[in-house]
Amino acid sequence: MKNIYLDYAATTPVDERVSAAMKPYFTQIFGNPSSLHRFGQQSEAALEKSRRELAGFLGALPSEIIFTSCGSESDNLALRGSAFAARENTGANHFLISPIEHPAVLATAWQLINLHGFEMSLLPVDKFGRVSPQAVLETLREDTFLVSVMHANNEIGTLNPIAEIGKLCQEKGVLFHTDAVQSGAHFQLDVNLLGVNLLSLGAHKFYGPKGVGVLYIRTGTDLMPIQTGGSQEFGQRAATQNIPLIVGMAAAYELVQKEYEKRTKHILPLRDDLISRVLAEIPSSQLTGHPVDRLPNHASFVFDGVDGNHLISILDSVGFACSSGSACKTGDPEPSSVLTELGFSPSWALGSLRVTLGKDTTAQEINKFLEILPGSIHQLRELRS
Ligand SMILES: *Cc1c(COP(=O)(O)O)cnc(C)c1O
């Protein structure tokens, strides 16, 4: 039995071309980029080349690209760094986020509130999980220092109108951060078109290595460093840079820019076929997230009266790797907070399934999956009744 991976929103394999690009930097070119000798200079050259490449693709300046250890760290630095800088410089104490942000944003936000006394407003979302620019406008306060709204939601795939929100924030003079960790794999992101001050990326979601990310920081955006020490990364993040991973991230992102249109053309019809067949063949099923404004590789569903975690393990036992939104806490499943926020009752929300396709996913794989899925769900419903 060949296992079929359909969980590309969780992570992706490193592209062979990316791993080839990284290889010399583990053993041959190993100098500390801060060292003055030629070993250091070689590493520094690779570091700055990667930075220039990523900056170019994003429409940014090299000095606006900060390398981090992951998408989560980029989100942490954007929120905590801008909060602490605001406290120091202006005294502004309030920020806005959507209630369905990734935990890297949500948990950081709650810590800023509970531990540091900041105030937050949650933006309303529609039934697809979208934030409207109007809602941002209505929720902004005089003392708002930051708005953070994710580009694409990891659980339900919905895309937000980032450029419109960005324009509004620029007009109001408020910092705008977007978590683009999911969308980085699928689009040509331009920080000027998006109107962002801060943007997070993580390499392992676009066929790059795990453990490396980017925070784009627009010139003039004041952030307090969170990781203190040496003056690496323009003083925004202390640590000897991880050159192989950074080189790998730049190589992977270059491949996204070259290939994303081709990848989307391949994936989108497979994804659409999957969605329409699931909804047609499985009773009491619903798509979650927006039907059109969503990531091209992303299909997410809820099935009434089904245990989503149980479904994942049944699918895994026959060779399909998917995910469910619900966190299983000591055998007592909790519905996903994202789905609850969108108004799904526990009976629906507990039966969630996320199927995310990769650039090399085939029609045969989707067909095989669709041979298995309706029966698995039927079996689970029989068990309960
Ligand atoms: C995966 C993900 C993250 C976290 O990125 P890591 O590199 O795994 O830390 C943050 N936000 C979104 C939307 C994600 O999908």
Short mmCIF file of all heavy atoms in Angstrom, two decimals, residues 58-60 64 146-151 161-170 174-180 189-200 215-219 221:
data_model
loop_
_atom_site.label_atom_id
_atom_site.label_comp_id
_atom_site.label_asym_id
_atom_site.label_seq_id
_atom_site.Cartn_x
_atom_site.Cartn_y
_atom_site.Cartn_z
N LEU A 58 9.43 39.93 -3.01
CA LEU A 58 8.35 40.52 -2.21
C LEU A 58 8.14 42.01 -2.49
O LEU A 58 7.24 42.62 -1.94
CB LEU A 58 8.66 40.34 -0.71
CG LEU A 58 8.63 38.90 -0.18
CD1 LEU A 58 9.24 38.83 1.21
CD2 LEU A 58 7.20 38.36 -0.16
N GLY A 59 8.98 42.58 -3.35
CA GLY A 59 8.89 44.03 -3.62
C GLY A 59 9.42 44.85 -2.46
O GLY A 59 9.00 45.99 -2.24
N ALA A 60 10.35 44.25 -1.69
CA ALA A 60 10.87 44.90 -0.48
C ALA A 60 12.33 45.29 -0.68
O ALA A 60 12.95 44.92 -1.69
CB ALA A 60 10.75 43.95 0.70
N GLU A 64 14.77 45.24 4.76
CA GLU A 64 13.44 45.04 5.37
C GLU A 64 13.14 43.56 5.61
O GLU A 64 12.04 43.21 6.05
CB GLU A 64 12.37 45.65 4.45
CG GLU A 64 12.52 47.15 4.29
CD GLU A 64 11.52 47.76 3.29
OE1 GLU A 64 11.29 47.16 2.22
OE2 GLU A 64 10.97 48.84 3.59
N LEU A 146 -1.74 48.57 16.13
CA LEU A 146 -1.53 47.48 15.16
C LEU A 146 -2.85 46.81 14.81
O LEU A 146 -3.71 46.60 15.67
CB LEU A 146 -0.59 46.41 15.76
CG LEU A 146 -0.33 45.18 14.90
CD1 LEU A 146 0.68 45.48 13.79
CD2 LEU A 146 0.18 44.00 15.74
N VAL A 147 -2.97 46.46 13.53
CA VAL A 147 -4.04 45.56 13.05
C VAL A 147 -3.33 44.33 12.51
O VAL A 147 -2.37 44.45 11.74
CB VAL A 147 -4.87 46.24 11.94
CG1 VAL A 147 -5.89 45.26 11.36
CG2 VAL A 147 -5.55 47.50 12.45
N SER A 148 -3.78 43.13 12.91
CA SER A 148 -3.19 41.90 12.38
C SER A 148 -4.30 41.00 11.85
O SER A 148 -5.17 40.56 12.61
CB SER A 148 -2.39 41.19 13.48
OG SER A 148 -1.81 40.00 12.97
N VAL A 149 -4.27 40.77 10.55
CA VAL A 149 -5.28 39.92 9.89
C VAL A 149 -4.55 38.97 8.95
O VAL A 149 -3.75 39.42 8.11
CB VAL A 149 -6.30 40.77 9.09
CG1 VAL A 149 -7.27 39.87 8.33
CG2 VAL A 149 -7.07 41.71 10.01
N MET A 150 -4.81 37.68 9.08
CA MET A 150 -4.09 36.70 8.26
C MET A 150 -4.53 36.77 6.80
O MET A 150 -5.69 37.07 6.49
CB MET A 150 -4.27 35.29 8.81
CG MET A 150 -5.67 34.72 8.69
SD MET A 150 -6.04 33.38 9.87
CE MET A 150 -4.60 32.33 9.80
N HIS A 151 -3.58 36.49 5.89
CA HIS A 151 -3.91 36.50 4.46
C HIS A 151 -4.81 35.33 4.13
O HIS A 151 -5.89 35.50 3.55
CB HIS A 151 -2.62 36.47 3.64
CG HIS A 151 -2.84 36.74 2.19
ND1 HIS A 151 -1.91 36.47 1.24
CD2 HIS A 151 -3.90 37.24 1.53
CE1 HIS A 151 -2.37 36.81 0.04
NE2 HIS A 151 -3.58 37.28 0.20
N PRO A 161 -9.32 40.21 2.31
CA PRO A 161 -9.00 41.35 1.42
C PRO A 161 -7.88 42.21 2.00
O PRO A 161 -8.11 43.33 2.46
CB PRO A 161 -10.33 42.12 1.36
CG PRO A 161 -11.02 41.81 2.65
CD PRO A 161 -10.59 40.41 3.07
N ILE A 162 -6.68 41.65 1.97
CA ILE A 162 -5.53 42.28 2.65
C ILE A 162 -5.20 43.65 2.06
O ILE A 162 -4.94 44.61 2.80
CB ILE A 162 -4.30 41.34 2.61
CG1 ILE A 162 -4.59 40.08 3.43
CG2 ILE A 162 -3.04 42.03 3.13
CD1 ILE A 162 -4.97 40.30 4.87
N ALA A 163 -5.22 43.75 0.72
CA ALA A 163 -4.84 45.03 0.09
C ALA A 163 -5.79 46.16 0.52
O ALA A 163 -5.36 47.28 0.77
CB ALA A 163 -4.81 44.88 -1.42
N GLU A 164 -7.08 45.84 0.61
CA GLU A 164 -8.06 46.87 1.02
C GLU A 164 -7.86 47.28 2.48
O GLU A 164 -7.94 48.47 2.82
CB GLU A 164 -9.49 46.34 0.84
CG GLU A 164 -9.92 46.23 -0.60
CD GLU A 164 -11.25 45.49 -0.70
OE1 GLU A 164 -12.23 45.95 -0.09
OE2 GLU A 164 -11.28 44.43 -1.35
N ILE A 165 -7.61 46.28 3.33
CA ILE A 165 -7.38 46.59 4.75
C ILE A 165 -6.07 47.37 4.88
O ILE A 165 -5.97 48.33 5.66
CB ILE A 165 -7.36 45.30 5.60
CG1 ILE A 165 -8.71 44.57 5.50
CG2 ILE A 165 -7.03 45.61 7.06
CD1 ILE A 165 -8.73 43.19 6.15
N GLY A 166 -5.07 46.98 4.07
CA GLY A 166 -3.78 47.66 4.11
C GLY A 166 -3.90 49.14 3.75
O GLY A 166 -3.31 50.00 4.39
N LYS A 167 -4.70 49.41 2.73
CA LYS A 167 -4.88 50.78 2.27
C LYS A 167 -5.50 51.63 3.39
O LYS A 167 -5.06 52.74 3.68
CB LYS A 167 -5.81 50.75 1.04
CG LYS A 167 -5.96 52.07 0.34
CD LYS A 167 -6.43 51.86 -1.10
CE LYS A 167 -6.69 53.16 -1.80
NZ LYS A 167 -8.04 53.70 -1.53
N LEU A 168 -6.49 51.04 4.00
CA LEU A 168 -7.19 51.73 5.09
C LEU A 168 -6.25 52.00 6.27
O LEU A 168 -6.26 53.11 6.84
CB LEU A 168 -8.33 50.80 5.49
CG LEU A 168 -9.44 51.23 6.38
CD1 LEU A 168 -10.62 50.34 6.09
CD2 LEU A 168 -9.04 51.09 7.83
N CYS A 169 -5.45 51.01 6.63
CA CYS A 169 -4.54 51.19 7.76
C CYS A 169 -3.50 52.27 7.44
O CYS A 169 -3.14 53.06 8.31
CB CYS A 169 -3.84 49.87 8.11
SG CYS A 169 -4.94 48.68 8.89
N GLN A 170 -3.04 52.29 6.18
CA GLN A 170 -2.09 53.33 5.77
C GLN A 170 -2.72 54.71 5.94
O GLN A 170 -2.10 55.62 6.47
CB GLN A 170 -1.67 53.13 4.31
CG GLN A 170 -0.43 52.26 4.17
CD GLN A 170 -0.05 51.98 2.72
OE1 GLN A 170 -0.75 52.37 1.79
NE2 GLN A 170 1.07 51.31 2.54
N VAL A 174 -1.97 53.39 11.00
CA VAL A 174 -1.85 52.28 11.96
C VAL A 174 -1.03 51.17 11.30
O VAL A 174 -1.19 50.90 10.11
CB VAL A 174 -3.26 51.73 12.31
CG1 VAL A 174 -3.17 50.56 13.27
CG2 VAL A 174 -4.12 52.83 12.89
N LEU A 175 -0.16 50.54 12.07
CA LEU A 175 0.62 49.43 11.53
C LEU A 175 -0.29 48.27 11.15
O LEU A 175 -1.28 47.99 11.83
CB LEU A 175 1.63 48.92 12.57
CG LEU A 175 2.72 49.87 13.02
CD1 LEU A 175 3.67 49.14 13.98
CD2 LEU A 175 3.49 50.42 11.83
N PHE A 176 0.09 47.59 10.05
CA PHE A 176 -0.71 46.46 9.59
C PHE A 176 0.20 45.25 9.38
O PHE A 176 1.18 45.31 8.63
CB PHE A 176 -1.42 46.83 8.28
CG PHE A 176 -2.31 45.74 7.73
CD1 PHE A 176 -3.06 44.93 8.57
CD2 PHE A 176 -2.39 45.53 6.36
CE1 PHE A 176 -3.88 43.91 8.07
CE2 PHE A 176 -3.21 44.52 5.84
CZ PHE A 176 -3.95 43.72 6.70
N HIS A 177 -0.14 44.17 10.07
CA HIS A 177 0.60 42.90 9.93
C HIS A 177 -0.31 41.86 9.29
O HIS A 177 -1.49 41.76 9.62
CB HIS A 177 1.03 42.39 11.31
CG HIS A 177 1.51 40.96 11.31
ND1 HIS A 177 0.83 39.93 11.94
CD2 HIS A 177 2.59 40.38 10.72
CE1 HIS A 177 1.49 38.79 11.76
NE2 HIS A 177 2.55 39.03 11.02
N THR A 178 0.26 41.07 8.36
CA THR A 178 -0.48 39.91 7.89
C THR A 178 0.37 38.66 8.01
O THR A 178 1.56 38.66 7.70
CB THR A 178 -1.02 40.10 6.44
OG1 THR A 178 -1.96 39.05 6.18
CG2 THR A 178 0.08 40.02 5.38
N ASP A 179 -0.26 37.60 8.50
CA ASP A 179 0.35 36.27 8.54
C ASP A 179 0.07 35.64 7.18
O ASP A 179 -1.05 35.26 6.88
CB ASP A 179 -0.30 35.48 9.69
CG ASP A 179 0.12 34.02 9.73
OD1 ASP A 179 0.61 33.50 8.70
OD2 ASP A 179 -0.06 33.39 10.78
N ALA A 180 1.13 35.59 6.35
CA ALA A 180 0.98 35.05 4.99
C ALA A 180 1.63 33.67 4.88
O ALA A 180 2.04 33.25 3.80
CB ALA A 180 1.60 36.03 3.99
N LEU A 189 3.35 37.50 -3.70
CA LEU A 189 3.04 38.48 -2.67
C LEU A 189 3.88 39.72 -2.91
O LEU A 189 5.10 39.61 -3.08
CB LEU A 189 3.32 37.91 -1.28
CG LEU A 189 2.58 36.62 -0.91
CD1 LEU A 189 3.08 36.11 0.45
CD2 LEU A 189 1.08 36.83 -0.88
N ASP A 190 3.26 40.88 -2.90
CA ASP A 190 3.98 42.14 -3.04
C ASP A 190 3.58 43.03 -1.86
O ASP A 190 2.41 43.41 -1.72
CB ASP A 190 3.60 42.80 -4.38
CG ASP A 190 4.36 44.11 -4.60
OD1 ASP A 190 4.34 44.97 -3.69
OD2 ASP A 190 4.95 44.27 -5.67
N VAL A 191 4.57 43.35 -1.04
CA VAL A 191 4.26 44.06 0.21
C VAL A 191 3.67 45.45 -0.05
O VAL A 191 2.94 45.98 0.80
CB VAL A 191 5.50 44.18 1.12
CG1 VAL A 191 5.92 42.81 1.63
CG2 VAL A 191 6.66 44.87 0.41
N ASN A 192 3.95 46.03 -1.23
CA ASN A 192 3.40 47.35 -1.52
C ASN A 192 1.96 47.26 -2.00
O ASN A 192 1.11 48.05 -1.59
CB ASN A 192 4.29 48.08 -2.53
CG ASN A 192 5.68 48.28 -1.95
OD1 ASN A 192 5.82 48.72 -0.80
ND2 ASN A 192 6.69 47.90 -2.69
N LEU A 193 1.68 46.26 -2.84
CA LEU A 193 0.29 46.06 -3.26
C LEU A 193 -0.58 45.67 -2.06
O LEU A 193 -1.74 46.04 -1.98
CB LEU A 193 0.20 44.99 -4.35
CG LEU A 193 0.87 45.32 -5.69
CD1 LEU A 193 0.77 44.17 -6.67
CD2 LEU A 193 0.23 46.58 -6.28
N LEU A 194 0.00 44.91 -1.15
CA LEU A 194 -0.76 44.47 0.02
C LEU A 194 -0.88 45.59 1.07
O LEU A 194 -1.72 45.52 1.96
CB LEU A 194 -0.12 43.23 0.65
CG LEU A 194 -0.16 41.95 -0.21
CD1 LEU A 194 0.66 40.84 0.46
CD2 LEU A 194 -1.59 41.47 -0.44
N GLY A 195 0.00 46.58 0.98
CA GLY A 195 -0.06 47.71 1.92
C GLY A 195 0.26 47.33 3.36
O GLY A 195 -0.31 47.88 4.30
N VAL A 196 1.18 46.37 3.52
CA VAL A 196 1.50 45.89 4.87
C VAL A 196 2.77 46.55 5.40
O VAL A 196 3.65 46.93 4.63
CB VAL A 196 1.68 44.35 4.91
CG1 VAL A 196 0.35 43.66 4.66
CG2 VAL A 196 2.73 43.88 3.90
N ASN A 197 2.85 46.67 6.71
CA ASN A 197 4.10 47.06 7.38
C ASN A 197 4.89 45.83 7.77
O ASN A 197 6.11 45.88 7.90
CB ASN A 197 3.82 47.85 8.65
CG ASN A 197 3.08 49.12 8.37
OD1 ASN A 197 1.86 49.09 8.22
ND2 ASN A 197 3.80 50.21 8.26
N LEU A 198 4.16 44.75 8.04
CA LEU A 198 4.76 43.52 8.57
C LEU A 198 4.11 42.32 7.90
O LEU A 198 2.87 42.30 7.74
CB LEU A 198 4.51 43.44 10.09
CG LEU A 198 5.11 44.58 10.93
CD1 LEU A 198 4.34 44.74 12.25
CD2 LEU A 198 6.59 44.31 11.22
N LEU A 199 4.92 41.34 7.49
CA LEU A 199 4.37 40.16 6.83
C LEU A 199 5.21 38.94 7.22
O LEU A 199 6.44 38.98 7.16
CB LEU A 199 4.38 40.37 5.30
CG LEU A 199 3.89 39.23 4.42
CD1 LEU A 199 3.09 39.78 3.23
CD2 LEU A 199 5.05 38.37 3.89
N SER A 200 4.51 37.87 7.63
CA SER A 200 5.19 36.64 8.08
C SER A 200 5.14 35.56 7.03
O SER A 200 4.09 35.33 6.41
CB SER A 200 4.50 36.08 9.34
OG SER A 200 4.42 37.03 10.36
N LEU A 215 10.33 37.66 8.62
CA LEU A 215 9.41 38.74 8.92
C LEU A 215 9.84 39.93 8.06
O LEU A 215 10.98 40.40 8.17
CB LEU A 215 9.42 39.12 10.40
CG LEU A 215 8.43 40.26 10.74
CD1 LEU A 215 6.98 39.82 10.51
CD2 LEU A 215 8.61 40.75 12.17
N TYR A 216 8.95 40.37 7.17
CA TYR A 216 9.17 41.61 6.44
C TYR A 216 8.81 42.76 7.38
O TYR A 216 7.73 42.74 7.99
CB TYR A 216 8.30 41.65 5.18
CG TYR A 216 8.09 43.05 4.67
CD1 TYR A 216 9.09 43.72 3.98
CD2 TYR A 216 6.90 43.74 4.92
CE1 TYR A 216 8.91 45.03 3.55
CE2 TYR A 216 6.71 45.05 4.49
CZ TYR A 216 7.72 45.69 3.80
OH TYR A 216 7.55 46.98 3.39
N ILE A 217 9.73 43.72 7.50
CA ILE A 217 9.48 44.89 8.35
C ILE A 217 9.70 46.14 7.50
O ILE A 217 10.84 46.46 7.14
CB ILE A 217 10.42 44.93 9.58
CG1 ILE A 217 10.39 43.61 10.36
CG2 ILE A 217 10.06 46.10 10.48
CD1 ILE A 217 11.34 43.56 11.55
N ARG A 218 8.63 46.83 7.17
CA ARG A 218 8.74 48.05 6.34
C ARG A 218 9.63 49.08 7.02
O ARG A 218 9.53 49.29 8.24
CB ARG A 218 7.34 48.63 6.07
CG ARG A 218 7.36 49.84 5.11
CD ARG A 218 5.96 50.35 4.80
NE ARG A 218 5.18 49.40 4.02
CZ ARG A 218 5.27 49.24 2.70
NH1 ARG A 218 6.10 50.00 2.01
NH2 ARG A 218 4.54 48.35 2.08
N THR A 219 10.46 49.74 6.24
CA THR A 219 11.34 50.79 6.76
C THR A 219 10.50 51.81 7.55
O THR A 219 9.44 52.22 7.09
CB THR A 219 12.05 51.52 5.60
OG1 THR A 219 12.74 50.54 4.82
CG2 THR A 219 13.03 52.56 6.11
N THR A 221 9.13 51.17 10.45
CA THR A 221 8.25 50.47 11.39
C THR A 221 9.07 50.16 12.63
O THR A 221 10.10 49.49 12.55
CB THR A 221 7.73 49.16 10.78
OG1 THR A 221 7.06 49.47 9.57
CG2 THR A 221 6.77 48.45 11.73
#
